[in-house]
């Protein structure tokens, strides 16, 4: 069989692998719970053409006179609700701004988790920092 045919036969097994690699926890928060810190980052830079699925929920913590912005990607099997206290403490303790990104299928974020969709959300958050907030790349910590 061709390479494409072999790949198509593997797709069901990839779904099983994704379920093992990216176990989706029960949501530990709602959209109303973190009203002061929850921001919806667009996957593209044109918000007007975006649907609900084109936005990534993120937690944003700011620190006065912060020089650095930390882009925080939580660990597997947790969501923004579980890392809220940690991200707040990081911002306060180290005097940095923190943007914590949610993964597809986790918390209130639409979608299905896999390597590509996680990367897409993280890149959307990075692009938001660089092109919307105009933060210099050399002052972003990932």
């Amino acid at each position: 069989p061709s390479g494409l045919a072999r790949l198509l036969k593997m797709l069901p097994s990839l779904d099983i692998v994704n379920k093992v690699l990216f176990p989706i926890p029960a949501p530990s928060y709602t959209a109303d719970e973190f009203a002061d810190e929850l921001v919806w980052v667009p996957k593209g830079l044109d918000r007007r053409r975006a649907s609900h699925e084109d936005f990534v929920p993120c937690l944003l913590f700011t620190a006065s006179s912060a020089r650095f912005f930390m882009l925080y990607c939580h660990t597997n099997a947790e969501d923004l609700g579980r890392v809220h206290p940690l991200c707040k403490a990081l911002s306060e303790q180290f005097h940095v701004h923190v943007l914590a990104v949610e993964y597809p299928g986790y918390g209130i974020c639409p979608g299905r988790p896999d390597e590509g969709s996680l990367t897409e959300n993280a890149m959307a958050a990075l692009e938001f920092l660089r092109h919307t907030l105009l933060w210099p790349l050399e002052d972003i910590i990932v």
Side-chain angles (χ1 to χ4, degrees):
S2 72
L4 180 58
R6 282 189 302 237
L7 180 62
L8 291 175
K9 286 182 180 180
M10 288 176 51
L11 287 179
S13 64
L14 289 177
D15 191 48
I16 293 169
V17 170
N18 281 330
K19 287 180 181 178
V20 170
L21 291 177
F22 307 108
I24 301 172
S28 66
Y29 67 102
T30 65
D32 299 327
E33 219 162 323
F34 305 125
D36 293 337
E37 297 104 2
L38 190 65
V39 295
W40 293 86
V41 172
K43 289 185 183 178
L45 296 178
D46 187 358
R47 290 177 170 265
R48 295 175 304 241
R49 295 186 182 171
S51 68
H52 173 71
E53 290 79 25
D54 295 326
F55 287 87
V56 180
C58 296
L59 291 175
L60 176 63
F61 296 94
T62 59
S64 61
S65 71
R67 176 175 171 218
F68 295 102
F69 223 120
M70 178 182 291
L71 177 57
Y72 185 85
C73 299
H74 61 70
T75 63
N76 208 357
E78 64 183 3
D79 63 10
L80 292 180
R82 289 182 174 83
V83 300
H84 182 276
L86 172 65
C87 291
K88 184 175 181 179
L90 286 170
S91 178
E92 292 171 354
Q93 181 69 31
F94 296 109
H95 305 284
V96 297
H97 303 302
V98 176
L99 183 68
V101 61
E102 188 64 282
Y103 300 153
Y106 287 52
I108 59 173
C109 187
R112 293 176 47 104
D114 60 37
E115 183 180 358
S117 64
L118 271 65
T119 301
E120 181 183 30
N121 280 16
M123 291 304 294
L126 180 61
E127 292 301 306
F128 176 76
L129 292 178
R130 294 192 63 221
H131 299 292
T132 302
L133 300 184
L134 303 176
W135 208 264
L137 183 59
E138 62 270 13
D139 293 335
I140 298 173
I141 303 165
V142 180

